[in-house]
Amino acid sequence: MQERNKLGHNKPPKTIEEQINDQGRIKLSNSIIRQLKRKVDDKGNYVETVYSDTEKVGLKAKVNKGGSVSFFYQWYNKNKLRKKPDSKGRMKGGTDKQIIGQFPDWKVEAARSLVDKIKQGIRLGTDPKSTFEANKAIPTFEAAIAQWKTDVMNVSNAFRDTTKKDLEARFKVWFYLNPKSKKLQNYVLSKYSDLNIKEKQIHLITHDEIIRYHTAITKSGSPYMANRVLDDLKLIVKWAMKKTEWKITENFALLDWENERNQELHRTDMHKVYDNRELRIIRKEVMKRATLRVVKYNNGTTAKPYPRNYVALMAILASMFLGRRYRNEILNLKWSQIDIDEVIHPKAKNSKKPVKYKTNAYVQWIFRKLREFGKYKFRLERKKRYHSQKGYVFPSTRESKLPYVHDIDKTWKAILFNTNLRKLPLYMLRHSWATNGLKARNNNIKDIMDAGGWKTLRMAEIYSQKDDERNKETSESVAKFIATGR
């Protein structure tokens, strides 16, 4: 009792010598190997020390004279020729060994997996060195991704610049485990053992490890991101399995995980779009804030006729009336891309070719107002400032990384706060446009797809909500025709 009270939960951990069992073996682990120290003989010289693993017979960790630790596999080779006969006169048979690699390049788990492979090869009559060389050619997941970036992503026209940025962002957080936010850094550290798959060879990753990896990303609050990350890795694995020099012939865990996939909800499933009444309230609030006002003070000074966020307000109106992607197809517009009633955009999110789309009377009015704003805002230093903005329709009025307004969320949130409307993301204006457009065009989804810039009818259907009343009318009309023939 006194001994327990004295030590309590602060009882010191066992030393390396205390963990060695009666057979002279120790259960190797990465943390144990980091504790292994060089031994010194009676003359004060460093000597090599070998530790045998309890889990895999034949696997040994050797602490070299210089302090480094390496793995090797030792087995009895009955075909090995002896220089001299043994006590029984035999010229064959003896111990043989195969160097695996140094720690930490090789972790304990990977070394054990290779030992299993070598043992299986020995039973089939394969030379362990051949098995080792074949396994050595298979890269780690990190090396495979680096090679894929060089050979595929950076040279292929199939990946747009925005797609490449998205891929790099996902890899940085969930593969290289280097997030930017402090909150995500703490989460990654807490789940590091489940998320750290980059150092494993591709063929060594098990199905259970993939499930843990996927679950860890999901629990961070990103179920959709978890699916996207594994889709990215699956694409790379399929590419890697086609490279004959890597000899990845085993079934890979990533190719069979569809049953664990998170349910994906589209934007219109998560949010109900704004109806026509709500859109009119938003338009009224925007116009109220953007109205020109000249205020004269007693000291003779005059207030500026344009509000500070005038460009952002006009951008919100344009997003509402155009139905295009506000970041990629509206905010970065140049005056040189605008014709009388048409916009010719050199780039689009889902097309490599220039995209043309028609404007309308409301959008043309917005453009006229922005021209007037530009002439007023940059009137004093027009050549120096206005033309330095490279002629953007929605120019940045402050010094920023981009010469055009690219973040209008603050203005959008203020409008929703003042109007007491549902707080939806700004991109829902595009989906509200599509849903209201279906109603205006008698559910003509093809017109909505063309005008809104969706690539397929399926995408247009996903991101627009059909009018329930019109669906009911259609159902009743069909039923009446079947019943009465009229």
Side-chain angles (χ1 to χ4, degrees):
M1 185 69 178
Q2 291 178 352
E3 181 67 19
R4 195 180 79 175
N5 290 339
K6 180 180 177 181
L7 296 176
H9 66 278
N10 294 320
K11 185 175 181 179
K14 291 182 178 180
T15 63
I16 296 297
E17 288 71 19
E18 291 174 338
Q19 296 185 57
I20 298 176
N21 62 17
D22 297 336
Q23 297 177 338
R25 301 177 183 275
I26 184 173
K27 185 176 180 180
L28 294 176
S29 66
N30 297 325
S31 59
I32 289 292
I33 290 177
R34 292 187 182 97
Q35 300 175 36
L36 299 180
K37 304 295 183 182
R38 295 175 290 179
K39 289 189 176 181
V40 183
D41 62 10
D42 297 336
K43 297 180 180 181
N45 299 321
Y46 289 115
V47 294
E48 293 180 348
T49 309
V50 176
Y51 296 89
S52 300
D53 187 26
T54 59
E55 305 301 305
K56 296 295 177 184
V57 177
L59 175 62
K60 301 178 184 294
K62 180 176 70 172
V63 183
N64 302 301
K65 294 180 181 180
S68 62
V69 180
S70 59
F71 294 107
F72 69 92
Y73 174 61
Q74 182 173 296
W75 74 100
Y76 182 80
N77 185 358
K78 62 181 180 180
N79 296 320
K80 185 177 181 179
L81 295 176
R82 295 174 179 269
K83 293 181 180 179
K84 296 180 180 180
D86 61 3
S87 59
K88 295 183 179 181
R90 293 174 298 188
M91 292 297 295
K92 286 186 177 182
T95 58
D96 213 341
K97 69 178 181 178
Q98 170 63 52
I99 303 298
I100 295 176
Q102 283 196 335
F103 180 86
D105 295 336
W106 278 81
K107 296 292 193 293
V108 173
E109 297 81 4
R112 285 174 179 158
S113 177
L114 180 56
V115 167
D116 284 337
K117 211 178 258 190
I118 291 176
K119 287 182 177 181
Q120 183 179 4
I122 291 174
R123 288 193 293 269
L124 297 175
T126 304
D127 181 24
K129 292 184 179 180
S130 301
T131 305
F132 176 77
E133 291 300 325
N135 184 83
K136 190 176 178 180
I138 301 176
T140 62
F141 217 152
E142 186 174 15
I145 287 184
Q147 191 68 34
W148 177 81
K149 289 180 183 179
T150 302
D151 294 351
V152 180
M153 188 182 81
N154 294 335
V155 298
S156 175
N157 292 328
F159 298 95
R160 297 184 297 271
D161 291 339
T162 54
T163 304
K164 293 177 183 178
K165 289 180 180 179
D166 292 341
L167 281 167
E168 290 287 7
R170 290 195 289 270
F171 286 151
K172 181 179 180 181
V173 176
W174 299 115
F175 187 77
Y176 299 111
L177 306 182
N178 187 25
K180 188 175 182 180
S181 71
K182 189 68 176 178
K183 181 179 179 181
L184 208 49
Q185 288 175 5
N186 293 334
Y187 180 80
V188 167
L189 286 175
S190 67
K191 298 289 184 180
Y192 191 81
S193 59
D194 293 337
L195 292 170
N196 186 26
I197 63 173
K198 63 182 180 181
E199 298 174 355
K200 293 180 177 291
Q201 287 181 293
I202 290 182
H203 66 296
L204 297 182
I205 300 177
T206 65
H207 186 267
D208 290 340
E209 288 173 329
I210 289 298
I211 297 303
R212 289 197 298 270
Y213 181 76
H214 182 256
T215 303
I217 301 177
T218 302
K219 289 183 177 179
S220 71
S222 306
Y224 173 72
M225 183 63 67
N227 289 349
R228 291 296 299 272
V229 170
L230 290 195
D231 283 339
D232 298 337
L233 298 183
K234 183 176 179 179
L235 175 68
I236 295 169
V237 165
K238 285 185 175 181
W239 167 82
M241 294 183 76
K242 294 178 182 178
K243 294 183 74 67
T244 55
E245 64 270 26
W246 286 350
K247 300 178 181 179
I248 307 175
T249 57
E250 299 179 19
N251 186 27
F252 187 74
L254 262 176
L255 304 182
D256 182 25
W257 68 282
E258 292 297 328
N259 293 335
E260 288 79 21
R261 190 182 185 92
N262 294 322
Q263 181 183 3
E264 295 187 12
L265 297 176
H266 298 291
R267 291 172 175 175
T268 51
D269 296 326
M270 296 184 288
H271 307 292
K272 183 180 179 182
V273 299
Y274 291 119
D275 58 25
N276 184 260
R277 181 191 65 83
E278 291 172 314
L279 291 177
R280 289 200 305 270
I281 293 174
I282 293 172
R283 181 184 64 83
K284 186 177 179 180
E285 179 66 19
V286 171
M287 293 302 298
K288 177 183 175 182
R289 289 168 171 263
T291 301
L292 299 181
R293 293 179 180 177
V294 180
V295 181
K296 293 184 178 181
Y297 298 102
N298 295 332
N299 59 3
T301 58
T302 304
K304 295 180 180 180
Y306 289 97
R308 179 178 55 81
N309 59 348
Y310 184 80
V311 176
L313 292 168
M314 292 294 103
I316 291 173
L317 276 184
S319 301
M320 183 188 301
F321 288 122
L322 266 178
R324 310 294 296 198
R325 300 172 183 87
Y326 78 97
R327 286 190 184 275
N328 297 310
E329 298 176 1
I330 295 179
L331 295 182
N332 58 355
L333 276 178
K334 294 183 178 181
W335 289 113
S336 59
Q337 298 168 1
I338 299 176
D339 204 344
I340 298 175
D341 63 343
E342 187 178 54
V343 171
I344 304 174
H345 206 289
K347 290 183 179 180
K349 186 176 180 180
N350 59 358
S351 176
K352 299 175 185 177
K353 300 178 181 179
V355 175
K356 296 181 181 180
Y357 58 87
K358 293 291 184 179
T359 60
N360 50 63
Y362 298 96
V363 176
Q364 291 166 17
W365 175 86
I366 294 171
F367 290 162
R368 287 197 301 270
K369 290 299 179 182
L370 286 169
R371 278 197 180 276
E372 294 174 5
F373 170 80
K375 292 178 181 179
Y376 170 81
K377 185 66 179 178
F378 307 108
R379 66 191 184 283
L380 299 179
E381 304 178 41
R382 184 163 185 176
K383 290 184 178 180
K384 182 179 178 181
R385 295 191 62 189
Y386 187 64
H387 289 292
S388 69
Q389 303 297 335
K390 299 180 181 179
Y392 282 96
V393 178
F394 300 93
S396 175
T397 56
R398 299 179 178 182
E399 293 185 4
S400 63
K401 295 181 180 179
L402 298 174
Y404 56 86
V405 172
H406 59 279
D407 188 359
I408 56 178
D409 285 340
K410 186 176 180 180
T411 302
W412 171 246
K413 290 176 181 177
I415 290 171
L416 297 181
F417 178 80
N418 281 9
T419 55
N420 291 322
L421 291 177
R422 293 175 293 121
K423 294 175 176 57
L424 301 185
L426 183 56
Y427 59 71
M428 288 303 295
L429 281 181
R430 169 170 164 80
H431 308 309
S432 300
W433 176 90
T435 302
N436 285 273
L438 281 176
K439 192 172 184 178
R441 298 295 298 171
N442 295 324
N443 281 348
N444 190 333
I445 191 70
K446 181 66 169 59
D447 288 351
I448 299 302
M449 181 194 77
D450 293 339
W454 280 283
K455 199 169 184 179
T456 63
L457 285 172
R458 179 177 174 274
M459 293 302 296
E461 289 174 350
I462 288 174
Y463 290 113
S464 61
Q465 295 177 348
K466 292 187 177 181
D467 182 20
D468 291 338
E469 293 182 4
R470 186 164 295 278
N471 290 341
K472 184 178 179 180
E473 291 177 5
T474 302
S475 178
E476 290 181 351
S477 298
V478 173
K480 182 179 179 181
F481 179 80
I482 293 173
T484 64
R486 292 179 293 177

